[in-house]
Amino acid sequence: MIRIKIDGEETLVEAGTTVLDAARGLGREIPTLCFDDRQDAFGACRVCLVGIEGAPGPMASCTTPVRDGMKVDTLDPASRRVATAVVELVLSELPRPPAEHTELAQISRMLDVGTPRWPGEQHDVKKHDESHPYLAFHHELCISCGRCVRACDEVQGTFALTATGRGFGANVAAGLDEGFRASACVSCGACADTCPTDAITEMSLLQLADPEPVR
Amino acid sequence: MSDRFDSTVTTTCGYCGVGCRLEAHARDGRIASISPALDGPANNGHTCLKGRFAHQFSRHRNRLTAPLIREHGGFRIATWEEALHRVVSELSRIRDDHGPDAIAGLASSRATNEDCYVMQRLMRAAIGTHNIDNCSRVCHSPTSFALRKSFGLSGATGSFEDIDAADAAIIIGANPTEGHPVAGARIKQATLRGMQLVTIDPRRIELADYAVLHLSPRPGTNAAVMLGLAHVVARDGLVDHDFLSARTEGYAEVEDLLGDYTPEEVSRITGVPAHDLERAAHIYAEAGDASIIWGLGVTEHLYGSEVVRLICNLALMTGKVGRRGSALLPFRGQNNVQGSSDMGALPDTFTAYRSVGDEEVARAFEERWGVTMKRERGLKIPEMFDAAVAGDLKAMYIFGEDVAQTDPNTKHVEAALESLDFLVCQDIFENETTKYADVILPASSFLEKTGTFTNAERRIQLVEPAIEPPGAARTDFDIITTISRELGHDMGFETPADAMREIAEMTPDFAGVTFQRVGRRGLQWPVAPDGTDSPILYEDEFILPGGRAQLAALPYKPPGSAASDEYPLILVTGRRLQHYNAGTMTRRTGNLDLVSSDWLEMHPADAAKLGIVSGDRAEVRSVVGAIEIEVLVTERIEPGHVFTAFHFPEIRTNLLIGASADVNTSCPEYKVVAVAVTPIGRAAGVPQLETAAT
Amino acid sequence: MDKQPAREDDWVVVSRNLVELVRRHHEQGAPTALDVLKEAMDQNGEITDDDRRLAAERSGLPEATVHGVSTFYEDLLVPRGRRHVRVCTGTACFAATGDAHVDELAGGLGLSLGERSDDGSLSLAETVCLGYCHASPAVRDGDVIDAGPDAIERVLADAAKPAPEPLVESLLDEPVLIRTGDWSGLRKALAETTPELLLEEVKAAEVRGRGGAGFPAGAKWEFARNAEGEPKFIVANGDEGDPGSYIDKVLMEDNPHLFLEGMALAGFAVGASHGFVLVRSEYPRSKPELEDAIFHAHTEGLLGEDILGSGFSFDITVIEGAGSYVVGEETALLACLQGLRGTVSARPPFPAQRGLHGLPTVVNNIETLANIPFIASHGAEAYRALSPGATAGTKLVCFNERFERPGAFEVPFGMTVRELCEDVAGGMRDGRSVKAVQIGGPLGGILPASRLDAVFDFEPLVAEGCMVGHGGIVAFDDRTDMRDVARHLLHFGADESCGKCFPCRIGLRRAHEMFVSNAPVERVSLEELLEALELGSLCAHGSGMPAPIRSLLAHFPEELGLA
C-alpha cells in the first residue's frame, strides 16, 4: 500500500493507482475531458493537471501513478491556469458552444472559463453523418479526445472508429470514413455514450433538442 | 440531464440473457433514450444496440392498446370487462366440462419472475392443472436437465466475471458477439489479453478469429467432440484424480467408455482433425483456470441434454468447477429464460425445480394456496400441441410467446392452435399466434412493468417501469392476477413485490430475496435468509446426495437428421446481432433499417455446385416444409452446411424444423435439419433464357 | 521527481489491443498496414479505399485503423504524378532563401504545394528536411536530391543532378564517431566481458542520449534488462527530423557499421535478440546503405545466430518511415514501427517496460549508439576523458549553408558556440554577419550574436534558454527578418503536431495564426499561450516549441510586430 497526501489529506492506496483515482477516492473534484473510467487512460486533454511536489511542472493525474510520500495539490495555480487555457482552446475551435448537458459544457462551468483569449480558425461544418437510424456524427464538434475510438476498441472490441489526420486537422472517422452504417459498427452506442461534446450522439436526442434537425 | 428528460429509471434489459442494467430516460410519456448503467454487474457501463436503441417498439403504432375479441373471422375492440368475462367464462366452462387438464398455459420467458410465478399459480390453483410450460423448453431445457443431474442446480456455476479470470475457455455452440453482445465483447477483450480460447462451431464465428483454435464439427456430433476431448485428457494424464475421488461419482464407467473415442475415431465422426482435438484438450486441461461456455448450438439437438452432461464430465475430470475462473456458463438466450423456469412455470416442477411429485413441497404449496394438486406432471409444449390435435386439449392461455413462429414444425403448431376451442393470447403486438386467438389481451413490455429478471448468471435484477403501458394495455401481472381472482382464486398480491415475498417464503433457494436487497447489484441465487448470495456454486459441495457430482457415461449417437441424396445439406439455425428471436420488438425499431431481412449462408463450393451466387433467391426444402430466402455465399460456413436465423415471419424459417427433439427434454433439434436448396426460377444447372418478355 | 517506472498491470502504450493484433500478425509474417500502404503509394502514386482494404486484409488490422494510418503520414497524403518533385522547406533552406526558392519552383512548375497536374504527369510537395542543409536550398526530383544555389534552375530545366555530400571532419586526433566502424568493440565484449559488466561500463561512462532528451543510455538499458517480457528489442532512432540536422544521415550512409555495432552491443547488454532501425523516408539512401552494411556484417559473422561462437544472437531489420517529425519521439516511433499512427503515448509505462509489441524495448538515437563501440573497446574512463570537465564523450554538430565551411564535425563538449561558429565553421559566407543561431533543432532556443560565448554543453545552454538537442546549428544572417523565423518555426510546429494532445493540436495552430495575420501580436496573450504549451503538452514537441519563441521575444522583440 502507498501513502500519499492530497491537498493535505493523507490516504492509503494500492500501488498502480493513478493520482486521479486516488484524488477522486477522497472526493476531490478534478476536471477531465478525455478520461472515461471504462477505458485505459489516454493523457490527451491535459485538463486533469495537478501539482506534485518535486515534479518539474503540472502533471496529468490520469496517467501519473502514485508514489510513496507523494504530495499532491489538486488546485495548484499553474495547473489550473493551463487546464483553463486548454478548455478555452477547445471552445475556440468549435463553431458553436457545446450543449449544456455535455461534459465539455460542464467542465467549462466548473473551471469558470470565459471568452477564449485565442480565437482563430474553427472546424469546418462538414457534412453530417445521419445515415444511421440511431447514431449521428457531427464532425465539427469533435475535439479528438479519442474516447469514442477507445470505447469501440477497449470496450466493444469492434474497432470501427479511428482518429484521422493530424494536428489541427485531426478528427475521427468510422470505417474508411464512410459513415457508421457502411462501417464495421455494430451500433452499440458506446461512442455516443462517452462523447463529451455530442459530436457523436443519438439521432433521437437530436430530435429532442431540435425538432428540425440541421442537415 | 434532467432538463432533457422528465425521468430516469434504472432497470434491466428485456432482450438477452446478459441482463444489462440500463438507465431509461423518459420524456412526455415515451422513452427518449436509454444509456447503460455504469454499475451494472453484468455489463459495467456497456450495452448493445438492442438494449440501448431498440426501444421504439414500445410506442409503435401497432402496439395492442385494447382487448380484442374474435368476431366474424376478424377482431373487434372490447372493454376489459367484456374480454375478461369471455376468458373467465370460457376457461371455467372448459374446466367444468372437460377437466382442468384440458387447459394448458404458456408462460413468457421474457416476462418477469413475478409474472411467471403468478401464471403458474393461476394454472395450478385457479385452473387446477400442471399443464404449464415456458419457452425454455425450446432452448435451454437440456441444460437445466443436465446441470441438475450432474451438479444439482439448474444454472451457471459462476458468473460472467469468471471470463476475466479464466486462462482458457471453450465456446461450443454459441455465438456470443451476436447473441450476447456484451458478454461477447468481454470474451474478445479477454482473448486480446491472452486468454486461450477454443471455439467449436460449424460456422467460423467472429470469436474464432480471436481464438487460438477453431474446430468445425459436423452438426449433431458435439457429443463425439466432448468424448474425444475427455479421451485425450484421460490418455495424456491430465485427469485431476484427487478432485474426482473427493467430490464425484461415476468416473469408472466413463473411463471405460472413453476408450472408444480416440482422436482418429472422433475425427471420422466429426470431421475435426485429430491433432486439433488433442490440442484443444490440452489447452483446456493444462490451463490454471478454464471455463466452458455453451449455447443453443449444444442444446437444440436430439441429444442436447447428453452433450451438456458430457461438458460437465470434462469439467469434473479436470477439477475445473467451483472456483473463480473455472465456470460452466450456459448462455441463456432470453432475458428471463432462467427465471421463468426458476419460478416453476414448468409442467414437472414448482419453484427451484422441485418436483410436483415431491410430497413435502406439494403439500406446502397446497396449504399455502388452499387447493389440492395432482402429483403427476403436466404436458410439455410439444405434448400440448399433440394433445390439441388429438382433441384432448381444448384451451390454451399463452402470454408473451409466438409459438407459430418460433416453435418447430410450424404446420403442426398451426393445426394445434386451429383445433383448440379457446385460445387466449396476451401480448404486446399481434403476431402469427394471435391469428388463432379468440381473445387477445394487450400487455406490457419490459419498459412498462415492475418485477425482476434472472440473467444467465443466476442474478436476480430489478425491473422498474420507465413509462406506462399504452392506451388500455395493462401489466401482465395485473391481468393474470385479475383473471385468477375472477376464476375464483384470489392470490392476494397487490404488487409484484408481494409475489416475490411468497416466492421467498416458499423457496429455500430464494429465501433472502427482497426487492430492497436486490437493489442495484442484484442477487445471484441461492440467496440465504440473511441475503448472502452465491456468485460461485459448488465451492465445497455439489447439491446432490453426498455432496458429490455425477459423471455420466453416455456414448455418441447420430443426430435426428442426416444429409441424404434428396436433402444433401444440413441447415443450422441461429441468431443475428440486430434482431431478437421472433423480431417482434426489433422489427419495430430502427434495427429493421439496419437489417431488414434475413439470408442463407452457403459455402462457395456448395454454391458453385448449385449455380448460385450471392444475392440469388433460393428455395430451401426439408421433409416438413419449404421457405424462400436470399443467399449469401461465404467461407465462414463449412461445406455441406447452410445457416440462417428465424427473426422474420415473412421467411418463417421454422417451417423447416421437424419433430426431432431432445430425448430427455423435448427441446427441438433446430440445429440439424437436412435440406435441399434450389435457386428459384430454374432447376439446378438449367440456364436461364433472358428474353424481352422476362 | 524520480523516473522510476511504476509497477504496472493496466497501463498502455498506444492501444493495447492494436499492439496485440500487430504482434500476433507479425508472428505470422504479416506486413504492417504502413508497409502495404507505402507500397500502394509507390506503385500507384495515390491511395484508394481498395488499397486500404487490402492493407487491412494483409496486415490483419481493422479497416478503420488502416484508414487512420493512411491519413497521418505525409508520404501517403499527396498524390504523386509520374514525376514527383519535393521541395525542402526546412529551416536551413529557409535561412538560405527566405523560402523564395519554394515560390520560384512552384511558379516554374505551375503547381502549388500538394498539387498534382490534371494529366497526372507532375506533382509538387513540401518536405522537411532532406538533410542537405550544408548546400541549401534542396529539392528532391523523383529520387535525385539536388541542392545548391542553382538547384531550382536545374530542376525546372528537368536537369537535376545529385547534390554534393557534406564535409565530415573530427577535431579529435583520434576520431571517435567518424572513425570507420570495425566491430572491434563487439569482438572484445563477446570475448572478454559479460552483459552485466558491459552494462555497468556503459552506465559508468555516463553516455547521455544524443537525440535531444539527453537521458542516460545506461539507465535506459538497465530498465529494459530488468523488465519482464521476452523477446526484447533495440530500436535505433534514425528519424532525424530536425530541419538543419544531417548528423544521423552521415552516420547511417557514410559509416553505418559503427552504430550497427553499437546496436549489437546494446542487444548484448540488455538481453535483446533483435534490433530495428527506423530510417526516415526523406533519406532515400539510408535504407539501402544500411541493408548493405547489415548484409556484410552477416557474411563476416558479426550479426545473426551465435555471433563469433559466443552464443549471442542478434539481427537487425531496417524499416522506413513515411513522413512525420513527431515519429522521432520514442513512443510515436514505436507506433510507426508497428504500422500504426505515429502519435505520442503517455509515459509511464516507458518503452523499456512496454515497447514494441508490448515488450521491453530500448530506443536510442543513432549517434548515441555510435558512441558505444568506443566504450566497449576503451572503457568508461577513457570515454569520460574525451571532454574533460564537461559531458562525457564527443558530439557531432552540423552547420547550415550560411557558414563558410558547412559540414558535420566531431567536437568535444565544452567549446563555446562562438568557437564552433567561427573557428570550426569559418563564420558567415559572402561577407555576411551572424544575426542569430538556433541550436539543436526547431525546438531549440535561439542565441543572438551577442550571446555566442555560451558554452556548448547540456546545462550551460539550458541556462540560456537553449539546448544541445541533436546538435544541428542553424545560423540566420543579417538579412533575416526574425518575425519570419517565428512564422516559419510555428508553421513547422503546427504542421507536424501529431494531433493528440489539446495544447499542441490547437495551441500551435493559434500561435502560428498570430504570426501569420497582419495584426500586431498581443504579448501577454502570446505568453499565456506559450505557458499552456510548455506546461501542458504531452511531449517535447508542444512543450518545446515555446523555447525559440521566447528567445525571439527576449532578444528580438522589436522585430516581432508586438502590440
Side-chain angles (χ1 to χ4, degrees):
Chain A
M1 295 296 274
I2 303 226
R3 190 179 303 270
I4 63 171
K5 265 202 182 145
I6 300 184
D7 296 339
E9 194 181 331
E10 200 171 85
T11 182
L12 218 53
V13 290
E14 286 196 18
T17 307
T18 61
V19 172
L20 178 65
D21 285 342
R24 283 183 168 172
L26 279 183
R28 308 299 299 163
E29 239 193 304
I30 298 187
T32 61
L33 214 39
C34 75
F35 182 77
D36 186 315
D37 198 279
R38 296 166 285 192
Q39 302 160 10
D40 285 323
F42 200 44
C45 71
R46 323 309 287 170
V47 171
C48 68
L49 299 174
V50 296
I52 297 180
E53 200 179 274
M59 302 289 282
S61 55
C62 65
T63 48
T64 303
V66 297
R67 298 250 207 284
D68 212 42
M70 196 184 247
K71 294 202 181 83
V72 179
D73 176 5
T74 67
L75 296 172
D76 166 58
S79 299
R80 276 297 155 108
R81 270 201 315 273
V82 176
T84 306
V86 168
V87 177
E88 262 182 64
L89 284 170
V90 167
L91 293 173
S92 81
E93 67 175 345
L94 301 180
R96 57 182 181 277
E100 253 187 57
H101 61 268
T102 59
E103 253 183 74
L104 177 57
Q106 286 169 33
I107 297 299
S108 295
R109 287 193 294 269
M110 182 200 167
L111 290 173
D112 202 14
V113 172
T115 329
R117 279 166 280 176
W118 312 283
E121 176 146 349
Q122 295 168 343
H123 294 156
D124 271 335
V125 183
K126 292 191 185 114
K127 188 167 97 65
H128 291 167
D129 173 23
E130 290 177 1
S131 58
H132 191 280
Y134 300 131
L135 294 167
F137 208 149
H138 292 179
H139 289 269
E140 74 277 8
L141 290 176
C142 174
I143 60 173
S144 294
C145 68
R147 285 163 70 165
C148 55
V149 177
R150 282 174 292 138
C152 197
D153 169 341
E154 298 171 26
V155 177
Q156 173 53 36
T158 295
F159 306 96
L161 296 171
T162 181
T164 59
R166 71 184 197 205
F168 189 75
N171 207 283
V172 167
L176 302 180
D177 200 9
E178 51 201 327
F180 282 115
R181 227 183 144 115
S183 74
C185 170
V186 294
S187 319
C188 74
C191 53
D193 201 66
T194 189
C195 179
T197 64
D198 272 9
I200 300 180
T201 187
E202 287 182 53
M203 291 291 289
S204 59
L205 291 178
L206 280 182
Q207 278 141 25
L208 255 192
D210 180 5
E212 299 295 325
V214 175
R215 291 238 161 246
Chain B
M1 278 280 208
S2 51
D3 53 333
R4 290 191 296 166
F5 309 126
D6 297 330
S7 62
T8 293
V9 151
T10 312
T11 188
T12 304
C13 186
Y15 278 107
C16 84
V18 169
C20 291
R21 293 282 287 162
L22 305 173
E23 310 285 2
H25 313 288
R27 178 157 139 168
D28 297 336
R30 313 167 74 89
I31 301 289
S33 163
I34 294 185
S35 46
L38 294 175
D39 60 346
N43 61 317
N44 298 304
H46 189 42
T47 188
C48 80
L49 84 168
K50 296 190 288 281
R52 182 160 165 112
F53 293 124
H55 52 75
Q56 299 107 319
F57 72 87
S58 61
R59 284 293 180 264
H60 194 273
R61 64 184 178 288
N62 291 151
R63 269 301 287 274
L64 289 165
T65 55
L68 297 171
I69 292 186
R70 179 178 290 280
E71 191 169 277
H72 307 315
F75 288 98
R76 65 163 175 85
I77 292 179
T79 61
W80 274 102
E81 203 185 318
E82 191 188 347
L84 289 174
H85 182 259
R86 174 70 68 91
V87 172
V88 169
S89 59
E90 282 298 292
L91 290 180
S92 304
R93 180 186 64 76
I94 292 172
R95 179 187 55 191
D96 294 341
D97 290 349
H98 303 281
D101 288 329
I103 302 174
L106 249 183
S108 172
S109 294
R110 284 198 235 171
T112 61
N113 289 326
E114 297 75 9
D115 294 341
C116 292
Y117 182 78
V118 297
M119 182 66 177
Q120 61 88 38
R121 180 167 165 175
L122 181 154
M123 294 309 296
R124 291 185 159 120
I127 303 281
T129 175
H130 285 307
N131 290 348
I132 174 74
D133 204 352
N134 70 71
C135 81
S136 73
R137 179 67 47 200
V138 304
C139 65
H140 260 291
S141 53
T143 291
S144 178
F145 174 88
L147 288 177
R148 278 187 280 149
K149 283 241 180 283
S150 293
F151 299 144
L153 294 176
S154 173
T157 71
S159 321
F160 292 122
E161 206 179 63
D162 288 302
I163 293 166
D164 298 338
D167 300 302
I170 294 177
I171 296 180
I172 172 169
N175 186 8
T177 52
E178 294 207 51
H180 298 80
V182 169
R186 191 173 200 153
I187 296 168
K188 192 189 277 191
Q189 297 295 336
T191 62
L192 285 167
R193 282 194 306 271
M195 189 258 271
Q196 307 282 291
L197 178 66
V198 175
T199 50
I200 305 178
D201 199 291
R203 283 164 92 212
R204 206 184 152 74
I205 59 174
E206 189 185 344
L207 283 174
D209 293 341
Y210 294 82
V212 294
L213 184 58
H214 176 72
L215 308 181
S216 267
R218 299 188 182 107
T221 63
N222 289 333
V225 175
M226 296 313 300
L227 287 159
L229 292 174
H231 171 98
V232 175
V233 166
R235 180 193 78 184
D236 294 352
L238 297 167
V239 173
D240 184 344
H241 287 288
D242 291 338
F243 185 89
L244 281 178
S245 56
R247 302 198 53 191
T248 75
E249 270 171 18
Y251 181 60
E253 291 89 343
V254 170
E255 202 178 6
D256 283 339
L257 178 67
L258 288 180
D260 296 335
Y261 294 92
T262 62
E264 292 69 34
E265 175 60 13
V266 169
S267 184
R268 191 190 61 76
I269 296 170
T270 65
V272 173
H275 174 70
D276 283 352
L277 191 79
E278 288 170 329
R279 211 177 135 217
H282 276 261
I283 289 169
Y284 177 76
E286 288 174 0
D289 281 299
S291 292
I292 306 181
I293 293 166
W294 71 94
L296 311 187
V298 161
T299 59
E300 286 178 347
H301 284 272
L302 182 55
Y303 296 105
S305 54
E306 298 194 349
V307 175
V308 181
R309 295 218 62 190
L310 294 173
I311 288 174
C312 296
N313 279 3
L314 186 67
L316 291 169
M317 281 168 63
T318 53
K320 290 195 182 13
V321 62
R323 57 173 200 270
R324 191 151 182 263
S326 290
L328 274 75
L329 303 172
F331 272 16
R332 317 300 311 251
Q334 302 210 65
N335 59 311
N336 204 29
V337 67
Q338 176 75 47
S340 56
S341 295
D342 293 347
M343 291 299 117
L346 292 168
D348 55 343
T349 62
F350 292 109
T351 58
Y353 308 94
R354 295 167 300 164
S355 171
V356 297
D358 182 328
E359 196 54 41
E360 199 184 318
V361 176
R363 285 246 183 89
F365 276 108
E366 283 178 333
E367 210 174 290
R368 179 62 163 235
W369 296 342
V371 299
T372 44
M373 293 183 282
K374 282 160 63 163
R375 299 289 181 265
E376 291 74 41
R377 73 167 181 84
L379 298 172
K380 302 181 206 168
I381 294 177
E383 292 168 339
M384 291 175 191
F385 298 138
D386 293 342
V389 166
D392 297 323
L393 191 71
K394 304 286 188 197
M396 282 189 80
Y397 178 3
I398 299 178
F399 90 98
E401 264 293 312
D402 188 6
V403 291
Q405 183 174 335
T406 57
D407 280 45
N409 212 346
T410 313
K411 288 268 171 280
H412 184 58
V413 174
E414 287 174 340
L417 296 174
E418 191 70 61
S419 42
L420 292 171
D421 284 353
F422 187 71
L423 174 62
V424 185
C425 288
Q426 180 174 311
D427 216 307
I428 58 176
F429 289 106
E430 286 186 70
N431 54 37
E432 300 306 304
T433 306
T434 61
K435 288 180 177 154
Y436 300 90
D438 294 290
V439 178
I440 302 177
L441 301 173
S444 53
S445 74
F446 77 93
L447 293 160
E448 300 147 3
K449 54 171 68 173
T450 305
T452 57
F453 292 144
T454 306
N455 76 354
E457 37 169 26
R458 293 171 288 107
R459 190 183 300 271
I460 300 168
Q461 304 189 106
L462 277 179
V463 178
E464 304 252 34
I467 50 178
E468 299 281 312
R474 293 190 188 172
T475 66
D476 294 89
F477 188 84
D478 189 26
I479 301 172
I480 295 169
T481 50
T482 302
I483 292 178
S484 182
R485 186 172 61 246
E486 299 199 1
L487 280 170
H489 181 78
D490 187 343
M491 300 188 198
F493 298 145
E494 294 246 359
T495 66
D498 295 334
M500 181 51 83
R501 201 165 297 117
E502 176 172 302
I503 294 165
E505 283 168 28
M506 300 300 291
T507 322
D509 277 349
F510 305 131
V513 180
T514 66
F515 278 19
Q516 201 204 24
R517 282 198 183 122
V518 169
R520 286 189 74 89
R521 289 205 59 78
L523 291 169
Q524 288 172 277
W525 61 257
V527 182
D530 67 355
T532 313
D533 74 341
S534 316
I536 302 180
L537 300 179
Y538 317 128
E539 283 180 287
D540 299 312
E541 61 168 21
F542 294 93
I543 310 302
L544 286 170
R548 287 173 174 274
Q550 292 290 329
L551 285 103
L554 298 162
Y556 164 74
K557 287 154 287 198
S561 216
S564 62
D565 288 335
E566 205 187 335
Y567 302 102
L569 296 168
I570 296 291
L571 170 70
V572 181
T573 59
R575 290 184 161 113
R576 303 273 182 218
L577 168 70
Q578 293 81 359
H579 285 285
Y580 191 67
N581 289 11
T584 339
M585 290 145 78
T586 51
R587 281 182 292 109
R588 293 180 170 100
T589 67
N591 288 26
L592 190 67
D593 197 2
L594 292 170
V595 172
S596 58
S597 184
D598 212 336
W599 60 94
L600 186 78
E601 291 173 22
M602 177 182 281
H603 190 273
D606 294 322
K609 273 192 232 149
L610 294 168
I612 290 179
V613 299
S614 283
D616 281 352
R617 283 192 73 77
E619 184 200 56
V620 184
R621 222 177 354 102
S622 77
V623 157
V624 294
I627 64 168
E628 279 183 21
I629 190 168
E630 190 178 309
V631 177
L632 173 76
V633 180
T634 168
E635 286 191 349
R636 282 205 173 257
I637 188 100
E638 288 289 300
H641 309 112
V642 287
F643 176 90
T644 189
F646 58 105
H647 308 301
F648 292 88
E650 305 80 50
I651 296 173
R652 294 298 280 293
T653 307
N654 288 322
L655 278 170
L656 299 170
I657 315 293
S660 185
D662 175 67
V663 288
N664 289 310
T665 63
S666 307
C667 178
E669 193 164 40
Y670 286 115
K671 302 289 182 175
V672 192
V673 185
V675 295
V677 178
T678 336
I680 286 180
R682 48 196 162 107
V686 174
Q688 256 313 44
L689 285 177
E690 289 204 273
T691 66
T694 48
Chain C
M1 192 71 208
D2 71 77
K3 292 215 178 212
Q4 275 287 6
R7 192 215 74 180
E8 57 94 316
D9 262 343
D10 289 338
W11 294 102
V12 280
V13 173
V14 195
S15 150
R16 186 212 308 270
N17 285 343
L18 289 179
V19 167
E20 176 59 18
L21 286 175
V22 169
R23 189 192 66 77
R24 288 182 186 185
H25 287 95
H26 175 81
E27 260 181 6
Q28 291 159 26
T32 69
L34 187 56
D35 287 336
V36 183
L37 290 170
K38 279 166 60 96
E39 223 179 279
M41 186 48 129
D42 286 339
Q43 276 168 19
N44 309 328
E46 62 185 9
I47 293 183
T48 62
D49 278 349
D50 282 338
D51 294 322
R52 294 182 177 98
R53 287 190 190 101
L54 183 68
E57 206 183 296
R58 290 187 55 203
S59 67
L61 286 196
E63 278 185 15
T65 308
V66 172
H67 176 76
V69 173
S70 75
T71 61
F72 182 86
Y73 293 97
E74 201 70 56
D75 290 357
L76 304 178
L77 293 175
V78 177
R80 297 181 194 173
R82 288 183 290 285
R83 181 183 173 205
H84 185 54
V85 178
R86 282 168 269 208
V87 61
C88 185
T89 56
T91 313
C93 293
F94 164 78
T97 73
D99 281 344
H101 68 287
V102 179
D103 297 331
E104 196 189 325
L105 185 60
L109 293 178
L111 290 172
S112 27
L113 291 177
E115 201 187 335
R116 176 169 65 177
S117 63
D118 289 333
D119 64 358
S121 60
L122 180 64
S123 53
L124 176 64
E126 170 175 3
T127 189
V128 184
C129 106
L130 291 167
Y132 282 83
C133 322
H134 65 289
S136 299
V139 192
R140 180 172 171 180
D141 190 351
D143 276 323
V144 176
I145 300 181
D146 195 343
D150 304 321
I152 303 297
E153 213 181 291
R154 282 192 293 275
V155 169
L156 288 175
D158 210 350
K161 70 173 202 269
E165 293 298 315
L167 183 63
V168 181
E169 275 181 15
S170 175
L171 262 53
L172 277 62
D173 297 327
E174 306 231 1
V176 170
L177 298 176
I178 61 171
R179 71 171 172 87
T180 310
D182 61 7
W183 298 82
S184 53
L186 183 67
R187 288 181 212 275
K188 184 168 179 201
L190 290 178
E192 299 176 18
T193 191
T194 64
E196 294 81 1
L197 286 175
L198 177 60
L199 178 58
E200 288 308 307
E201 202 66 23
V202 169
K203 279 168 63 183
E206 293 170 9
V207 188
R208 294 184 72 160
R210 298 300 198 247
F215 189 81
K220 201 183 262 193
W221 290 14
E222 190 167 50
F223 290 147
R225 189 180 170 77
N226 294 339
E228 261 180 53
E230 290 283 317
K232 301 186 181 178
F233 302 103
I234 307 294
V235 171
N237 185 348
D239 191 71
E240 178 183 45
D242 286 349
S245 178
Y246 47 94
I247 293 161
D248 292 338
K249 180 171 183 295
V250 160
L251 287 171
M252 288 193 286
E253 294 175 8
D254 298 349
N255 191 15
H257 284 281
L258 186 62
F259 91 88
L260 289 174
E261 182 186 348
M263 281 184 83
L265 284 163
F268 180 64
V270 166
S273 53
H274 205 96
F276 293 87
V277 186
L278 183 89
V279 308
R280 46 202 306 268
S281 60
E282 293 87 341
Y283 294 168
R285 276 182 53 214
S286 293
K287 187 168 181 215
E289 293 287 342
L290 284 173
E291 287 180 334
D292 211 47
I294 291 168
F295 177 77
H296 277 111
H298 264 275
T299 56
E300 300 289 307
L302 296 161
L303 284 176
E305 295 285 316
D306 191 22
I307 296 172
L308 304 176
S310 65
F312 168 62
S313 302
F314 193 77
D315 204 351
I316 302 177
T317 307
V318 182
I319 310 271
E320 199 185 71
S324 160
Y325 174 72
V326 166
V327 161
E329 190 275 343
E330 63 180 10
T331 62
L333 188 148
L334 293 175
C336 178
L337 267 183
Q338 290 166 118
L340 300 168
R341 287 168 60 84
T343 54
V344 174
S345 295
R347 298 174 298 174
F350 294 84
Q353 297 165 286
R354 288 184 67 91
L356 187 61
H357 299 153
L359 295 161
T361 306
V362 166
V363 181
N364 276 145
N365 171 257
I366 302 277
E367 189 186 343
T368 309
L369 290 164
N371 279 265
I372 307 299
F374 181 93
I375 300 169
S377 295
H378 306 286
E381 219 180 294
Y383 180 76
R384 288 199 306 271
L386 291 169
S387 299
T391 296
T394 59
K395 183 79 188 74
L396 282 168
V397 295
C398 61
F399 298 91
N400 65 322
E401 166 272 354
R402 289 285 90 198
F403 287 92
E404 193 61 52
R405 300 184 72 226
F409 296 87
E410 180 181 17
V411 303
F413 283 103
M415 297 171 68
T416 66
V417 176
R418 188 179 305 283
E419 283 169 334
L420 290 173
C421 292
E422 290 175 7
D423 302 340
V424 176
M428 298 287 92
R429 58 190 293 175
D430 300 340
R432 310 231 71 106
S433 55
V434 173
K435 185 163 181 183
V437 168
Q438 184 173 41
I439 308 172
L443 308 175
I446 297 174
L447 281 179
S450 55
R451 301 195 69 85
L452 294 183
D453 294 303
V455 166
F456 182 82
D457 200 347
F458 287 88
E459 279 68 41
L461 282 178
V462 166
E464 292 284 336
C466 294
M467 66 174 183
V468 166
H470 190 34
I473 298 178
V474 174
F476 303 106
D477 68 21
D478 47 296
R479 304 165 305 156
T480 311
D481 176 345
M482 300 317 276
R483 184 180 163 114
D484 275 348
V485 173
R487 189 193 37 72
H488 163 85
L489 291 173
L490 289 169
H491 165 79
F492 172 79
D495 222 41
E496 295 292 343
S497 167
C498 77
K500 175 165 164 175
C501 84
F502 296 4
C504 176
R505 175 171 70 76
I506 314 169
L508 281 186
R509 174 68 178 232
R510 293 288 180 256
H512 181 237
E513 283 170 349
M514 280 183 185
F515 283 95
V516 161
S517 85
N518 290 323
V521 174
E522 283 278 345
R523 185 168 184 146
V524 168
S525 179
L526 174 63
E527 282 181 346
E528 287 171 345
L529 183 59
L530 293 180
E531 182 193 50
L533 279 164
E534 188 193 351
L535 299 182
S537 298
L538 175 60
C539 82
H541 187 75
S543 68
M545 204 71 245
I549 307 302
R550 287 210 179 101
S551 302
L552 294 175
L553 281 170
H555 303 299
F556 300 97
E558 68 292 344
E559 285 189 48
L560 297 182
L562 301 174

